Coordinates of all heavy atoms in Angstrom, one line a residue:
I437 N -23.9 -11.4 -41.7 CA -23.3 -10.5 -40.8 C -24.4 -9.4 -40.4 O -24.1 -8.4 -39.8 CB -22.0 -9.8 -41.3 CG1 -22.3 -9.1 -42.7 CG2 -20.9 -10.8 -41.4 CD1 -21.1 -8.2 -43.2
Q441 N -26.3 -8.9 -45.5 CA -25.0 -8.9 -46.0 C -24.2 -10.2 -45.5 O -24.7 -10.8 -44.5 CB -24.2 -7.7 -45.7 CG -24.9 -6.4 -46.1 CD -25.3 -6.3 -47.6 OE1 -24.5 -6.7 -48.4 NE2 -26.5 -5.9 -47.9
T442 N -23.1 -10.5 -46.1 CA -22.3 -11.7 -45.7 C -20.8 -11.4 -45.7 O -20.3 -10.5 -46.4 CB -22.5 -12.9 -46.7 OG1 -22.2 -12.4 -48.0 CG2 -23.9 -13.4 -46.7
I443 N -20.1 -12.1 -44.8 CA -18.7 -12.2 -44.8 C -18.3 -13.3 -45.8 O -18.9 -14.4 -45.8 CB -18.1 -12.5 -43.4 CG1 -16.5 -12.6 -43.5 CG2 -18.7 -13.7 -42.8 CD1 -15.9 -12.7 -42.1
S444 N -17.4 -13.0 -46.8 CA -17.1 -14.0 -47.8 C -16.5 -15.3 -47.2 O -15.9 -15.2 -46.1 CB -16.1 -13.4 -48.8 OG -16.7 -12.3 -49.4
V449 N -11.7 -14.8 -50.0 CA -10.9 -13.7 -49.4 C -9.4 -13.9 -49.8 O -8.7 -13.0 -50.3 CB -11.0 -13.5 -47.9 CG1 -10.1 -12.5 -47.3 CG2 -12.5 -13.2 -47.5
D466 N -10.5 -1.1 -50.2 CA -11.4 -2.3 -50.0 C -12.9 -1.7 -50.1 O -13.2 -1.0 -49.2 CB -11.1 -2.9 -48.7 CG -12.1 -3.9 -48.2 OD1 -12.5 -4.8 -49.0 OD2 -12.5 -3.8 -47.0
V467 N -13.6 -2.1 -51.1 CA -15.0 -1.6 -51.2 C -16.0 -2.6 -50.7 O -16.0 -3.7 -51.1 CB -15.3 -1.3 -52.7 CG1 -16.8 -0.8 -52.9 CG2 -14.4 -0.2 -53.3
G468 N -16.7 -2.1 -49.7 CA -17.7 -3.0 -49.0 C -17.0 -3.6 -47.7 O -16.7 -4.8 -47.7
T469 N -16.8 -2.8 -46.7 CA -16.2 -3.2 -45.5 C -16.8 -4.4 -44.9 O -16.2 -5.3 -44.4 CB -16.1 -2.1 -44.5 OG1 -15.7 -0.9 -45.1 CG2 -15.2 -2.4 -43.3
G470 N -18.2 -4.4 -44.8 CA -18.9 -5.5 -44.3 C -18.5 -5.8 -42.8 O -18.6 -5.0 -42.0
S471 N -18.0 -7.0 -42.6 CA -17.5 -7.4 -41.3 C -16.1 -6.8 -40.9 O -15.7 -6.7 -39.8 CB -17.3 -8.9 -41.3 OG -16.2 -9.3 -42.1
G472 N -15.4 -6.4 -42.0 CA -14.0 -5.8 -41.8 C -12.9 -6.9 -42.0 O -11.8 -6.5 -41.9
Y473 N -13.3 -8.1 -42.2 CA -12.3 -9.2 -42.3 C -11.4 -9.0 -43.5 O -10.2 -9.1 -43.3 CB -13.0 -10.6 -42.3 CG -12.1 -11.7 -42.5 CD1 -11.2 -12.1 -41.4 CD2 -12.0 -12.5 -43.6 CE1 -10.4 -13.1 -41.5 CE2 -11.1 -13.5 -43.7 CZ -10.3 -13.9 -42.7 OH -9.4 -14.9 -42.8
Q474 N -11.9 -8.7 -44.6 CA -11.1 -8.5 -45.8 C -10.1 -7.4 -45.6 O -8.9 -7.4 -45.9 CB -12.0 -8.2 -47.0 CG -11.2 -7.9 -48.3 CD -10.4 -9.0 -48.9 OE1 -11.0 -9.9 -49.5 NE2 -9.1 -9.1 -48.7
A475 N -10.6 -6.3 -44.9 CA -9.7 -5.1 -44.7 C -8.6 -5.5 -43.7 O -7.5 -5.1 -43.9 CB -10.6 -4.0 -44.1
I488 N -14.4 1.2 -47.4 CA -15.6 2.0 -47.5 C -16.8 1.1 -47.4 O -16.9 0.1 -48.1 CB -15.5 3.0 -48.7 CG1 -16.8 3.8 -48.8 CG2 -15.3 2.2 -50.0 CD1 -16.7 5.0 -49.7
E489 N -17.8 1.5 -46.6 CA -19.0 0.8 -46.4 C -20.2 1.7 -46.5 O -20.2 2.8 -46.1 CB -19.0 0.1 -45.0 CG -20.3 -0.6 -44.6 CD -20.8 -1.7 -45.5 OE1 -20.0 -2.5 -46.0 OE2 -22.0 -1.6 -45.9
F490 N -21.2 1.1 -47.2 CA -22.5 1.9 -47.5 C -23.4 1.9 -46.3 O -24.1 2.9 -46.2 CB -23.1 1.1 -48.7 CG -24.1 1.8 -49.5 CD1 -23.7 2.8 -50.4 CD2 -25.4 1.5 -49.5 CE1 -24.5 3.5 -51.2 CE2 -26.3 2.2 -50.3 CZ -25.9 3.2 -51.1
I491 N -23.5 0.9 -45.5 CA -24.4 0.8 -44.4 C -23.8 1.2 -43.1 O -22.8 0.6 -42.6 CB -25.0 -0.7 -44.3 CG1 -25.6 -1.1 -45.6 CG2 -25.9 -0.8 -43.1 CD1 -26.1 -2.6 -45.6
L494 N -23.1 -1.2 -40.2 CA -22.0 -2.2 -40.4 C -20.6 -1.5 -40.3 O -19.7 -2.1 -39.8 CB -22.1 -2.9 -41.8 CG -23.3 -3.9 -42.0 CD1 -23.3 -4.4 -43.4 CD2 -23.2 -5.0 -41.0
G513 N -19.8 5.5 -47.0 CA -20.3 6.1 -48.3 C -20.4 5.2 -49.4 O -20.5 3.9 -49.2
D514 N -20.6 5.7 -50.6 CA -20.8 4.9 -51.8 C -19.5 4.5 -52.5 O -18.9 5.3 -53.2 CB -21.7 5.7 -52.8 CG -21.9 4.9 -54.1 OD1 -21.5 3.7 -54.1 OD2 -22.5 5.5 -55.0
G515 N -19.0 3.3 -52.2 CA -17.7 2.8 -52.7 C -17.8 2.5 -54.2 O -16.7 2.2 -54.8
S516 N -18.9 2.6 -54.8 CA -18.9 2.3 -56.3 C -18.3 3.5 -57.0 O -17.9 3.5 -58.1 CB -20.4 2.1 -56.8 OG -21.1 3.3 -56.9
L517 N -18.1 4.6 -56.2 CA -17.4 5.8 -56.7 C -15.9 5.7 -56.3 O -15.2 6.7 -56.5 CB -18.0 7.1 -56.2 CG -19.5 7.3 -56.5 CD1 -20.1 8.4 -55.7 CD2 -19.7 7.5 -58.0
G531 N -16.0 -6.2 -52.7 CA -16.6 -7.4 -52.1 C -18.1 -7.5 -52.4 O -18.8 -8.1 -51.6
A532 N -18.6 -6.8 -53.5 CA -20.0 -6.9 -53.8 C -20.0 -6.8 -55.4 O -19.1 -6.2 -56.0 CB -20.7 -5.8 -53.2
V584 N -23.1 -10.6 -52.8 CA -24.2 -9.7 -52.7 C -24.1 -8.5 -53.6 O -22.9 -8.2 -54.1 CB -24.3 -9.2 -51.2 CG1 -24.6 -10.3 -50.2 CG2 -23.1 -8.4 -50.8
P585 N -25.2 -7.9 -54.0 CA -25.1 -6.8 -55.0 C -24.4 -5.6 -54.5 O -24.6 -5.2 -53.3 CB -26.5 -6.5 -55.4 CG -27.4 -7.5 -54.7 CD -26.6 -8.2 -53.7
L586 N -23.6 -4.9 -55.3 CA -23.1 -3.6 -55.0 C -24.2 -2.6 -55.2 O -24.9 -2.7 -56.2 CB -21.9 -3.3 -56.0 CG -21.2 -2.0 -55.8 CD1 -20.3 -2.0 -54.6 CD2 -20.3 -1.6 -57.0
R587 N -24.3 -1.7 -54.2 CA -25.3 -0.7 -54.3 C -24.7 0.6 -54.8 O -23.5 0.6 -55.1 CB -26.0 -0.5 -53.0 CG -26.8 -1.8 -52.7 CD -27.1 -2.0 -51.2 NE -28.1 -1.1 -50.8 CZ -28.5 -1.0 -49.5 NH1 -28.0 -1.8 -48.6 NH2 -29.4 -0.1 -49.1
G588 N -25.4 1.7 -54.7 CA -24.8 3.0 -55.1 C -24.9 3.3 -56.5 O -25.5 2.6 -57.3
E589 N -24.2 4.4 -56.9 CA -24.4 5.0 -58.3 C -24.0 4.0 -59.4 O -24.6 4.0 -60.4 CB -23.5 6.3 -58.3 CG -23.9 7.1 -59.5 CD -23.4 8.6 -59.3 OE1 -23.5 9.1 -58.2 OE2 -23.0 9.2 -60.3
Ligands
LIG1283 N1 -15.4 -7.7 -47.6 C1 -16.5 -7.9 -46.7 C2 -17.7 -8.6 -47.4 C3 -18.9 -7.8 -47.2 S1 -20.3 -8.1 -48.1 C4 -16.1 -8.7 -45.5 O1 -14.9 -9.1 -45.4 O2 -16.9 -9.0 -44.6 C5 -20.4 -6.7 -49.1 C6 -20.5 -5.4 -48.4 O3 -20.5 -4.4 -49.4 C7 -21.8 -5.2 -47.6 O4 -21.4 -4.8 -46.3 C8 -22.5 -4.1 -48.3 O5 -23.2 -3.2 -47.4 C9 -21.4 -3.3 -48.9 N2 -21.7 -2.5 -50.1 C10 -22.6 -2.7 -51.0 N3 -22.6 -1.7 -51.9 C11 -21.7 -0.8 -51.5 C12 -21.3 0.5 -52.0 N4 -21.7 1.0 -53.1 N5 -20.3 1.1 -51.3 C13 -19.7 0.5 -50.1 N6 -20.1 -0.6 -49.6 C14 -21.1 -1.3 -50.3

Side-chain angles (χ1 to χ4, degrees):
I437 56 171
Q441 308 302 318
T442 54
I443 177 175
S444 300
V449 174
D466 168 48
V467 175
T469 311
S471 68
Y473 179 68
Q474 174 72 75
I488 178 163
E489 172 57 48
F490 202 69
I491 301 176
L494 288 179
D514 179 5
S516 78
L517 302 169
V584 295
L586 183 71
R587 294 158 72 183
E589 197 159 322

